[in-house]
Amino acid sequence: MTAIEHFTGDASPYGGGEPYADYRTADFPFTQYANLADRQLGAGVIAANDEFFAMRENLLLPHPAVFDPEHFGHKGKVMDGWETRRRRGVSAEHPWPTEADHDWALVRLGAPGVIRGIVIDTAHFRGNYPQAVSVEGTSVEGSPTPEELCGDDVKWTTLVPRTPVGGHAANGFAVDVEQRFTHLRVNQHPDGGIARLRVYGEVAADPKWLTALGTFDVVALENGGQVEDASDRFYSPATNTIQPGRSRKMDDGWETRRRRDTGNDWIRYRLVQQSEIRAVEIDTAYLKGNSAGWASLSVRDGENGEWVEALPRTRLQPDTNHRFVLDTPVVGTHVRVDIFPDGGISRLRLFGSLTENGAAKLAARHQELGG
């Protein structure tokens, strides 16, 4: 695994021009995974002990933090992130916060899962970022209240120990805890501001829920499907194709650059577990002059299985949801969608159910992760 660069200390005061010109970042190896703290998946910041300067909800906004040097409100500088007031001590003799003083926010993940990495982004917080951060995780079923999550009976596991961070920087942390988490507690020591939070990992759906559904989308991100690889991610990530709901605009799907050869583009998916697929949807919503011209779908059972064509190369229409009932259901663990020659699709839906073997493996994995 690539070593992760860590940043500490202040960034230079904003001197005008492009705010991101001196932004510090690195290539994090875990960003290949889905963002479990995505609002589109259903994530939310459900509580914080303080949000005097900037709202906690800003942490999960999908776009990079913005900075307007002239924007001030009645509480002071308006920042695009979560910012708390300055902590103070208890008296004139002790005006400084104690070592234990810190601010916190509770985050509900959009989908429970195994966390592989966390990015705590302090973009534009140059002299008002936290001295250090820490992150804890827990797994609580249902929809617990903030008060319930703060109860003494909830066990929290350290995912990121208290670690110094830098201002105006993407601070990344690899996580090596093989457990399933539903909620996070993000702590900043002793106070300050965080612009964005990203939580990268693998969805670990509840097998009881999927069994109760019977027929469901066996490649959906929220159910545990994953994008393993794609030929091209130039305009937008392939993971968009298995996000919940329909695409809302052109970049909410997957679009490739224009090919200048005789090849084709593709995405390879891993299903939630071995499944029987009975129906397929390929949606090109909002892709009008740039949708794929044709698409085919192949299925493979196991890492070393042979690819079997389930849907032959079929003409696609722009901005259209295409539905196909398979003449013969197919069983597999992986799916590959080939588009010809290039362009994009917005969503892929594969409707079916777990096989007996797939259900058993999913239940065993759930137990391994503490479910």
Side-chain angles (χ1 to χ4, degrees):
M1 179 177 290
T2 306
I4 296 178
E5 185 174 356
H6 290 284
F7 306 103
T8 56
D10 292 349
S12 300
Y14 175 64
E18 168 55 47
Y20 276 103
D22 59 340
Y23 177 68
R24 295 175 288 176
T25 188
D27 291 328
F28 302 122
F30 45 74
T31 55
Q32 62 180 297
Y33 296 101
N35 177 21
L36 303 182
D38 192 337
R39 281 289 296 170
Q40 197 170 350
L41 269 179
V45 186
I46 61 175
N49 71 308
D50 187 285
E51 48 185 332
F52 184 86
F53 285 114
M55 299 182 299
R56 65 182 191 259
E57 287 85 0
N58 290 338
L59 281 173
L60 305 188
L61 292 177
H63 54 77
V66 297
F67 180 72
D68 180 354
E70 303 299 327
H71 193 187
F72 287 83
H74 67 281
K75 291 184 178 180
K77 181 72 186 73
V78 175
M79 296 295 291
D80 185 8
W82 167 50
E83 186 182 4
T84 66
R85 71 193 79 197
R86 300 187 188 214
R87 280 185 170 268
R88 303 302 191 195
V90 296
S91 67
E93 291 73 25
H94 299 281
W96 310 280
T98 69
E99 184 68 13
D101 284 342
H102 67 279
D103 292 319
W104 53 265
L106 295 177
V107 178
R108 179 190 65 243
L109 297 180
V114 182
I115 297 168
R116 302 302 184 192
I118 295 173
V119 174
I120 293 180
D121 191 343
T122 58
H124 314 303
F125 289 93
R126 295 170 177 269
N128 52 346
Y129 60 94
Q131 181 184 30
V133 299
S134 62
V135 182
E136 303 158 281
T138 189
S139 183
V140 179
E141 295 307 311
S143 304
T145 65
E147 291 75 21
E148 289 170 334
L149 288 170
C150 292
D152 294 337
D153 58 334
V154 175
K155 178 185 176 183
W156 292 90
T157 300
T158 298
L159 303 179
V160 177
R162 182 169 175 169
T163 306
V165 293
H168 196 45
N171 300 275
F173 306 91
V175 176
D176 186 20
V177 181
E178 203 70 12
Q179 295 180 35
R180 178 180 184 267
F181 295 102
T182 61
H183 295 77
L184 299 186
R185 184 162 60 192
V186 179
N187 306 303
Q188 46 178 338
H189 308 267
D191 54 35
I194 298 171
R196 296 291 187 266
L197 172 72
R198 302 291 185 251
V199 182
Y200 297 98
E202 301 172 70
V203 174
D206 185 348
K208 291 182 180 178
W209 173 252
L210 298 183
T211 299
L213 292 179
T215 295
F216 60 93
D217 183 357
V218 298
V219 77
L221 181 60
E222 60 191 311
N223 294 332
Q226 289 187 34
V227 169
E228 286 195 330
D229 200 2
S231 60
D232 187 290
R233 299 177 175 88
F234 188 84
Y235 285 114
S236 45
T239 303
N240 282 352
T241 61
I242 55 174
Q243 286 275 11
R246 294 199 72 199
S247 176
R248 296 166 296 177
K249 51 193 176 74
M250 191 173 73
D251 67 348
D252 192 17
W254 171 61
E255 182 189 355
T256 71
R257 73 191 84 195
R258 300 187 187 208
R259 296 191 75 95
R260 304 306 186 192
D261 57 25
T262 58
N264 73 282
D265 289 315
W266 51 267
I267 307 177
R268 188 177 73 244
Y269 303 88
R270 188 177 77 193
L271 307 183
V272 56
Q273 256 300 341
Q274 187 189 63
S275 304
E276 181 185 79
I277 302 168
R278 296 185 288 274
V280 176
E281 281 189 7
I282 299 176
D283 195 353
T284 58
Y286 293 97
L287 295 162
K288 297 182 179 181
N290 49 357
S291 67
W294 293 262
S296 65
L297 185 141
S298 302
V299 179
R300 184 179 74 188
D301 192 23
E303 295 290 342
N304 301 313
E306 295 291 329
W307 288 106
V308 176
E309 187 176 74
L311 181 70
R313 192 180 304 186
T314 302
R315 180 76 191 186
L316 299 182
Q317 297 299 318
D319 195 30
T320 300
N321 191 25
H322 308 77
R323 290 180 170 178
F324 309 95
V325 176
L326 300 182
D327 294 334
T328 303
V330 290
V331 171
T333 57
H334 296 73
V335 163
R336 174 177 165 135
V337 171
D338 286 88
I339 63 170
F340 301 88
D342 56 16
I345 62 174
S346 62
R347 293 291 188 271
L348 172 71
R349 305 295 185 215
L350 303 177
F351 296 103
S353 54
L354 294 171
T355 64
E356 185 176 340
N357 181 50
K361 287 186 175 181
L362 189 65
R365 178 63 171 157
H366 190 68
Q367 287 299 113
E368 288 176 6
L369 298 174

